[in-house]
Amino acid sequence: MADGNPFKAHMEALTVQERQFQYYNLSATDASKYEKLPYSIRVLLESAIRNCDNFQIQSKDVDNILNWETNQHNSVEIPFKPARVILQDFTGVPAVVDFAAMRDAVKRLGGDPQKINPICPVDLVIDHSVQADVVRSATALQKNEDLEFDRNKERFQFLKWGAKAFKNMLIVPPGSGIVHQVNLEHLGRVVFDEDGLLYPDSLVGTDSHTTMINGLGILGWGVGGIEAEAVMLGQAISMVLPPVVGYKITGSLEPLVTSTDVVLTITKHLRQVGVVGKFVEFFGSGVAQLSIADRATISNMCPEYGATVGFFPVDERSLEYLRGTGRDEAKIEYIEAYLRQNKMFRDYNNPGNDPVFTEVVELDLSTVVPCCSGPKRPHDKVPVSEMKQDFVKCLNNKVGFKGFAIPADKQTTTVPIVFDGQEYTLTHGSVVIAAITSCTNTSNPSVMLGAGLLAKKAVEAGLSVSPYVKTSLSPGSGVVTYYLQESGVTPYLEKLGFDIVGYGCMTCIGNSGPLPDPVAEAIEKANLVACGVLSGNRNFEGRIHPLTRANYLASPPLVVAYALAGTACIDFETEPLGHNAEGNPVYLRDIWPSRDEIQAVERQFVIPSMFKDVYAKIEKGNARWTSLDAPESMLYPWDEKSTYIKSPPFFEQMTKELPSIEGVKDAHVLLNVGDSITTDHISPAGSIARNSPAARYLGSRGLTPREFNSYGSRRGNDAVMARGTFANIRLLNKFIGKASPKTVHIPSGDQMDIFDAADRYQNEKRQVIILAGKEYGSGSSRDWAAKGPWMQGVRAVIAESYERIHRSNLVGMGIMPLQYQAGETADSLGLTGKEMYSIHIPDDLHTRHLVEVKLEDGRSFQVIARFDTDVELTYFRHGGILNYMIRQML
């Protein structure tokens, strides 16, 4: 990387245990400015210096980052090249599909398809497919994994092919764990050694909770698929230089408080502060008391408090964690030496290490109390001592985030059910799902062992969980199973119904499976506000299960406690969990394990050899994966019958030569939309409606509605995804006048589904564009929000403004993002959307070029071509970033 790098003079030697390394000395830029930078910004600076080529990353970008203190409020765009990419299977499949299609294109154009491989390391963990169909059984794990393979065989065969076919790509088989926990315990490098060049580990991932890795001092966050593919292909992504909020932690935790209570407290606090679009960096003496698992729990919920990252710089405890999880000692030595040498190693007890922050907010750990969050949002913290009264208030409140509007005369409704031959009673607040789930908490031995010890004491006190409660335990890695078994708590968890049901996200992402029929019927019959309690990170209405209207995030021990109670409407201080054999009441305080108890068990049973043993077999997978047949070929043999995996048409018309830039001629408007059209409006998501174009397509392939599955599971099939683009029932199209996934085919005046109109235009050889208002493409970055419109033939979008990343994604797919000039809108220009539009693109197109739009009635106006960098112009000239990379390989 040093060749042609204007900063190569900053490269210096470093000797560690007689090994010679090199690194870029960041202080050599300007020591006084560098040492004031937040540690997270130092990672951005190092990447810019190391990768500076004066094309993708220019010297001025380095200066902009170095001058963060003055630039942080100026919306300065900078490029960033992360060291690696991490994927989960739902979002990773389309990336692997694109790489397979790129190989086909290179071969067709006369190149060597073996050149198409990820340029930076890529790890893909299959964790989003397993469901909690079977619970409370010793065979639950096996049965759920069998169902997972039956439902996802085509996808798994394709990914297994990819694991063999591509270099620099590790695919972790199903049944291994949750992507972010595997990343924390095994995949995280902290510092890379690339042929003797040392540099910080950093990453982007196609899952919002990629942020968990920041707890180990590795900078990383979630992005859309197109940005991830760009990084995989060695390209930089664009970002705004962020403000950095310093979060000072002081004090120490009270004995009964868990790390989950801390993160739920921080989540509510930072939501109130407002940290969207900002980095949060933790500091203060209280951080030194938090384990890496505690810090990772806090970093995991970064999307819930709204920041880009929640960063904990590396310190001594980070190195202890690396040793404790079985990392190689020689690597730990150069990690420490490099970070100390480059002033990236933190001493949280030394205020002299504190950098400059945009602003500082504080938390005294002694103020944290046991709590849950809910019933509908992760930042609505409720102290456990107030849960009962809060739930009753929610029943009374009008419908909203904290309300269900249950009439007063219905609030005491009870419904008898018969389950396994015994009668039980359900009412408002009944807990019907209790799930120890999610990498948020299953990565933390203290809370997992706390749940196990609580279960042990509960069983010994004669308590049990009602059999109709859907209890489950889905660890984020095999290490959890190992230490739960070794510490002797597994039989007690199983006695309460918390059998291991799978290694994956499961209930946390809504893969909770069906409720027992008597329970489901009772909830629906009486319109009960039934509860789910889970150790996850999200509890939005409808996410966990359609029938649990109230869902509470809680620590694993509290999940067990609420399962024992059978209701969320309980005051643990005054009401018992149940009664022992003698009929005496048993209170939560009687069986709650002390922190000293938990830590003693953790020290004895959570040991490095467990991590080494589990992760030595990480690529092997279970018996179903091992026996799964997958192609051995370098090129993927596409199955024309598959409805999950299909070769996309992105490169079918591509030529070896760079084409001349073409404008738009007599295009019709496919959609005329207003402000704040989000990627959720555009991108396919959720279940496939039976009356949708995607349903008709799948039906024509012989599938029944029961077999449709979700858009997420079919992201590798462009025919399904194109039909699901703009299929959101809440999309408001001015042509229709109400929320509907419909539009008008302008030449005929026919009203139809948006995909059907796009398909008709394409069959008629007519081009289409989109008219939009402000903030087009806001929300989470989604690759199909750009790929889908391309599939529908959209050549350009004319909007008042764009969400930054979505605009970049449109460029990445070869779609022109055009913007009205200041003060102009579709309305001010008298545009109805029923005109025909021609857009002239000059040969000397440059960044933010003013281009002319002509209407067939003779009117014209100018718009800004929102190509904001020369790199974006290059991508557009090639027809998109993937096309650009293909030509680079020829």
Side-chain angles (χ1 to χ4, degrees):
M1 190 62 67
D3 290 343
N5 187 326
F7 296 95
K8 61 185 176 184
H10 293 8
M11 191 180 282
E12 295 185 7
L14 178 66
T15 303
V16 183
Q17 296 294 329
E18 300 182 356
R19 278 195 67 192
Q20 295 296 313
F21 297 97
Q22 288 186 304
Y23 74 103
Y24 282 91
N25 181 358
L26 304 186
S27 295
T29 50
D30 184 322
S32 61
K33 289 181 179 177
Y34 175 68
E35 289 173 20
K36 289 182 181 179
L37 291 178
Y39 286 67
S40 51
I41 300 298
R42 298 179 195 190
V43 179
L44 300 181
L45 178 67
E46 192 283 336
S47 176
I49 288 174
R50 175 168 41 88
N51 293 295
C52 187
D53 58 2
N54 277 329
F55 174 56
Q56 286 195 61
I57 299 175
Q58 301 184 17
S59 298
K60 68 175 183 180
D61 298 316
V62 172
D63 290 338
N64 282 337
I65 300 170
L66 186 63
N67 290 290
W68 169 85
E69 193 173 354
T70 54
N71 286 330
Q72 58 177 304
H73 298 297
N74 298 334
S75 297
V76 173
E77 287 212 22
I78 60 164
F80 176 49
K81 265 194 177 183
R84 60 187 174 99
V85 173
I86 197 159
L87 313 168
Q88 39 94 331
D89 52 311
F90 264 26
T91 53
V93 163
V96 183
V97 165
D98 287 349
F99 270 69
M102 288 173 71
R103 280 194 170 178
D104 292 342
V106 168
K107 185 174 189 303
R108 178 176 61 81
L109 295 171
D112 179 5
Q114 291 193 77
K115 287 184 177 180
I116 296 293
N117 288 291
I119 291 171
C120 74
V122 177
D123 303 306
L124 188 156
V125 181
I126 302 173
D127 67 355
H128 268 51
S129 302
V130 64
Q131 288 189 188
D133 290 287
V134 182
V135 298
R136 302 186 77 134
S137 162
T139 61
L141 175 62
Q142 185 62 54
K143 288 179 178 177
N144 288 329
E145 287 186 346
D146 287 345
L147 285 167
E148 177 189 20
F149 269 82
D150 291 343
R151 291 169 178 148
N152 296 281
K153 184 179 178 182
E154 289 181 43
R155 296 169 63 243
F156 289 176
Q157 283 178 319
F158 174 70
L159 289 173
K160 191 170 183 180
W161 166 81
K164 298 176 183 176
F166 291 109
K167 299 173 184 174
N168 231 6
M169 180 183 287
L170 169 70
I171 294 186
V172 177
S176 303
I178 302 174
V179 56
H180 310 305
Q181 188 162 338
V182 173
N183 193 20
L184 183 73
E185 295 176 352
H186 177 65
L187 299 174
R189 283 79 157 173
V190 184
V191 170
F192 266 85
D193 168 17
E194 185 178 309
D195 300 324
L197 177 65
L198 299 180
Y199 55 91
D201 187 3
S202 60
L203 69 151
V204 290
T206 54
D207 187 277
S208 57
H209 292 101
T210 298
T211 53
M212 184 172 185
I213 199 64
N214 289 275
L216 187 55
I218 298 171
L219 191 70
W221 62 88
V223 297
I226 291 175
E227 297 103 293
E229 289 182 45
V231 176
M232 290 164 69
L233 292 165
Q235 305 300 292
I237 57 173
S238 177
M239 63 181 291
V240 171
L241 188 65
V244 182
V245 175
Y247 198 96
K248 187 175 185 179
I249 298 179
T250 59
S252 55
L253 294 174
E254 295 296 316
L256 300 181
V257 173
T258 68
S259 59
T260 313
D261 303 320
V262 176
V263 72
L264 296 180
T265 301
I266 289 174
T267 298
K268 180 177 182 179
H269 186 195
L270 284 174
R271 270 287 170 189
Q272 292 170 333
V273 170
V275 291
V276 173
K278 301 175 183 178
F279 282 10
V280 172
E281 186 167 309
F282 295 88
F283 74 109
S285 58
V287 176
Q289 298 185 39
L290 299 176
S291 70
I292 298 305
D294 293 340
R295 299 176 193 180
T297 300
I298 294 166
S299 294
N300 177 284
M301 286 192 69
C302 191
E304 283 65 53
Y305 48 81
T308 304
V309 299
F311 188 69
F312 290 85
V314 174
D315 70 339
E316 289 287 356
R317 294 203 77 160
S318 312
L319 302 181
E320 290 170 14
Y321 180 82
L322 293 176
R323 292 188 177 96
T325 50
R327 263 59 166 230
D328 182 70
E329 185 62 33
K331 291 182 178 178
I332 297 171
E333 287 173 353
Y334 72 64
I335 288 170
E336 180 177 7
Y338 167 77
L339 293 175
R340 286 188 183 278
Q341 191 73 15
N342 235 351
K343 295 184 172 60
M344 302 173 92
F345 194 86
R346 195 75 160 93
D347 178 357
Y348 289 103
N349 289 310
N350 180 4
N353 276 179
D354 295 349
V356 172
F357 292 113
T358 307
E359 62 177 308
V360 172
V361 293
E362 295 190 34
L363 174 69
D364 180 347
L365 291 176
S366 67
T367 65
V368 178
V369 298
C371 57
C372 300
S373 278
K376 301 181 185 182
R377 296 190 300 187
H379 55 278
D380 288 333
K381 185 188 79 164
V382 186
V384 170
S385 60
E386 299 174 15
M387 272 285 284
K388 183 173 184 175
Q389 63 194 73
D390 188 80
F391 184 80
V392 172
K393 280 182 186 175
C394 288
L395 291 182
N396 283 300
N397 292 344
K398 66 180 182 180
V399 173
F401 294 123
K402 295 287 287 186
F404 299 102
I406 303 298
D409 63 333
K410 300 288 186 183
Q411 291 181 17
T412 55
T413 297
T414 59
V415 185
I417 65 166
V418 176
F419 189 86
D420 286 350
Q422 279 194 281
E423 188 168 303
Y424 302 89
T425 301
L426 295 184
T427 186
H428 295 294
S430 290
V431 171
V432 296
I433 291 177
I436 300 175
T437 182
S438 172
C439 53
T440 308
N441 282 291
T442 69
S443 60
N444 195 325
S446 66
V447 291
M448 294 301 289
L449 288 167
L453 291 171
L454 181 71
K456 180 176 185 290
K457 293 185 177 192
V459 171
E460 289 170 345
L463 301 181
S464 62
V465 175
S466 297
Y468 64 81
V469 180
K470 189 160 191 179
T471 45
S472 62
L473 169 56
S474 51
S477 83
V479 174
V480 180
T481 307
Y482 212 142
Y483 65 67
L484 291 178
Q485 288 174 341
E486 290 296 307
S487 62
V489 298
T490 297
Y492 300 99
L493 286 164
E494 291 173 347
K495 189 97 172 174
L496 297 183
F498 289 95
D499 297 84
I500 290 177
V501 297
Y503 295 92
C505 300
M506 301 191 86
T507 300
C508 187
I509 59 167
N511 288 358
S512 51
L515 290 176
D517 288 342
V519 174
E521 289 163 9
I523 293 170
E524 291 181 305
K525 175 184 175 183
N527 191 32
L528 295 180
V529 179
C531 295
V533 184
L534 67 150
S535 61
N537 48 43
R538 284 186 176 165
N539 56 340
F540 303 124
E541 192 169 13
R543 177 182 173 93
I544 305 307
H545 193 283
L547 296 179
T548 57
R549 289 156 67 189
N551 295 283
Y552 291 93
L553 305 182
S555 66
L558 280 175
V559 171
V560 176
Y562 280 106
L564 288 164
T567 178
C569 195
I570 183 174
D571 181 346
F572 286 131
E573 282 300 308
T574 60
E575 297 174 69
L577 292 170
H579 294 79
N580 60 21
E582 290 76 39
N584 297 320
V586 179
Y587 293 89
L588 181 57
R589 59 180 174 268
D590 299 331
I591 61 172
W592 191 269
S594 70
R595 182 172 296 121
D596 287 345
E597 259 183 287
I598 295 168
Q599 289 177 345
V601 174
E602 184 176 351
R603 280 193 297 271
Q604 184 177 355
F605 293 105
V606 183
I607 55 178
S609 60
M610 289 181 177
F611 293 87
K612 289 180 179 178
D613 186 42
V614 167
Y615 285 111
K617 302 173 282 193
I618 192 69
E619 295 180 57
K620 184 179 178 184
N622 58 27
R624 287 291 298 266
W625 178 265
T626 304
S627 62
L628 184 68
D629 287 330
E632 301 279 347
S633 53
M634 178 187 59
L635 301 177
Y636 186 69
W638 307 97
D639 180 359
E640 295 296 325
K641 300 189 192 72
S642 174
T643 56
Y644 281 97
I645 304 296
K646 179 178 174 293
S647 178
F650 303 142
F651 317 117
E652 286 178 357
Q653 306 301 318
M654 183 178 169
T655 59
K656 189 173 183 178
E657 298 74 27
L658 187 65
S660 58
I661 297 178
E662 292 184 7
V664 173
K665 176 75 171 168
D666 294 333
H668 286 285
V669 174
L670 178 64
L671 285 171
N672 185 5
V673 293
D675 297 342
S676 301
I677 294 299
T678 71
T679 51
D680 287 336
H681 289 116
I682 307 168
S683 184
S687 59
I688 297 172
R690 294 189 179 197
N691 61 347
S692 65
R696 291 194 291 274
Y697 168 79
L698 292 171
S700 73
R701 305 297 295 265
L703 274 67
T704 64
R706 188 174 59 83
E707 299 170 306
F708 286 172
N709 214 323
S710 64
Y711 283 113
S713 68
R714 295 189 183 275
R715 286 181 181 175
N717 186 317
D718 61 88
V720 173
M721 299 302 280
R723 286 164 172 79
T725 300
F726 296 117
N728 190 314
I729 59 173
R730 294 179 179 83
L731 178 70
L732 187 58
N733 179 6
K734 293 178 184 178
F735 289 155
I736 304 299
K738 62 179 182 180
S740 169
K742 304 276 186 183
T743 195
V744 173
H745 177 257
I746 301 299
S748 66
D750 294 341
Q751 188 177 130
M752 58 184 66
D753 286 313
I754 292 166
F755 171 81
D756 293 339
D759 189 48
R760 187 160 164 185
Y761 281 125
Q762 287 181 311
N763 289 332
E764 295 168 347
K765 310 293 186 198
R766 299 178 190 267
Q767 296 179 336
V768 294
I769 65 169
I770 290 171
L771 299 183
K774 298 182 184 71
E775 298 174 345
Y776 181 75
S778 55
S780 299
S781 176
R782 304 188 191 283
D783 55 338
W784 276 103
K787 288 178 177 176
W790 184 93
M791 290 286 300
Q792 293 185 358
V794 174
R795 295 291 309 281
V797 179
I798 306 177
E800 292 176 50
S801 64
Y802 293 88
E803 193 282 329
R804 186 180 56 81
I805 293 176
H806 183 66
R807 181 198 60 77
S808 178
N809 285 348
L810 291 174
V811 175
M813 285 305 298
I815 297 173
M816 287 185 284
L818 307 176
Q819 186 168 312
Y820 298 108
Q821 294 189 80
E824 293 186 345
T825 66
D827 289 341
S828 73
L829 292 168
L831 306 178
T832 67
K834 296 184 178 179
E835 309 87 354
M836 288 198 296
Y837 292 70
S838 295
I839 304 166
H840 174 66
I841 303 298
D843 291 336
D844 64 344
L845 181 68
H846 55 74
T847 57
R848 291 183 169 256
H849 202 128
L850 278 180
V851 299
E852 187 175 43
V853 180
K854 289 186 176 179
L855 309 181
E856 89 280 8
D857 62 10
R859 288 182 291 158
S860 66
F861 58 96
Q862 288 190 313
V863 293
I864 305 163
R866 283 295 310 276
F867 304 110
D868 291 357
T869 67
D870 289 335
V871 175
E872 287 185 346
L873 269 176
T874 300
Y875 292 160
F876 176 71
R877 289 180 186 278
H878 281 266
I881 185 172
L882 302 182
N883 308 57
Y884 166 75
M885 290 306 301
I886 287 171
R887 290 193 178 95
Q888 294 294 104
M889 298 295 177
L890 295 175

